[in-house]
Amino acid sequence: SDLAARAAFGNYGEALRLNPRLVAAWNNRGGCGLSLADLHADAPAERERYLRAAVEDFGQALAVHPGFADAHNNRGLALQGLGELDEAAGREPRPRYREAIAEFDAAIRLRPLGASGWNNRGVAAWTLGRAEEARGTDPGPFWARAEADYRKAAELHMDQARLHLGL
C-alpha cells in the first residue's frame, strides 16, 4: 500500500542518516521509490518524483558498491520508467531508454546467469525500437536484440526452475 511504502521509505531514510554506507538500505529505499511510482501511475508528476528519487538512491548504492548487480538492474527499471513518462509527455525518450539499457548491460556483466537483467534489457530494447520506429528509424536492430534477450531470459529461467525443482 501507499502508506506502507511511504513508511518503509522513511525508515530506510532514517537508517541512511545513521549510516550512509548501508548499500542495502539505498537499494531498498530505491525499491520503495519504484513501488510508490507504480502506485502513482495515474499521477505523472508524482510518478516522476518517485522515479527520480529511485534513480538517485540506486546511484548511491552503486557509489558504495559499484558491483551490485541488483542496483544496476533496479536503476535501469527506474530510468526506463522515466523514459516512458518522457514519451507520454511528448519529450524525447530515447536517451533514458539508452541509459536503462546501459544499466541492464552492467547487471548482465555482473550476473550473467540472472534472468531479470536479460528480460529487462529486452523490454528496454523493444521500447527503444518502438521509439525509433515512431521517428522513422529502422527498429529492426533493437527488436532483434530484444528477441535475443527474451530468449536468453527464458532459457535462464527454465534452468533456474529445473535447479529449484531438482530436475
Side-chain angles (χ1 to χ4, degrees), residues 13 19 45 59 100 115 125 130 140 146 151 155 157 164:
N19 183 353
R130 192 186 69 223
R151 288 184 191 279
E155 173 190 312
H157 184 71
H164 181 71

Side-chain angles (χ1 to χ4, degrees), residues 1-111:
S1 79
D2 187 65
L3 287 176
R6 285 177 195 259
F9 189 90
N11 290 338
Y12 287 122
E14 179 62 20
L16 290 165
R17 187 185 66 74
L18 297 171
N19 183 353
R21 298 204 43 84
L22 291 173
V23 76
W26 285 114
N27 190 63
N28 292 344
R29 190 171 82 168
C32 290
L34 285 176
S35 294
L36 286 162
D38 287 346
L39 289 169
H40 292 275
D42 58 342
E46 283 293 298
R47 181 170 170 73
E48 183 173 359
R49 183 170 67 88
Y50 287 120
L51 288 170
R52 286 183 185 281
V55 167
E56 179 64 28
D57 285 347
F58 297 130
Q60 290 295 325
L62 291 166
V64 175
H65 181 29
F68 190 17
D70 286 344
H72 282 290
N73 191 54
N74 292 336
R75 191 164 194 265
L77 291 171
L79 288 163
Q80 185 170 335
L82 288 170
E84 291 164 0
L85 284 173
D86 286 345
E87 193 167 8
R91 298 185 300 258
E92 175 57 64
R94 292 176 296 173
R96 297 257 200 222
Y97 294 147
R98 287 187 181 104
E99 285 181 83
I101 287 171
E103 292 295 339
F104 298 135
D105 286 344
I108 290 167
R109 268 192 314 278
L110 292 164
R111 192 172 52 221

Side-chain angles (χ1 to χ4, degrees), residues 145-157:
R145 181 177 187 173
E147 182 179 355
D149 285 349
Y150 291 146
R151 288 184 191 279
K152 182 67 174 180
E155 173 190 312
L156 290 168
H157 184 71

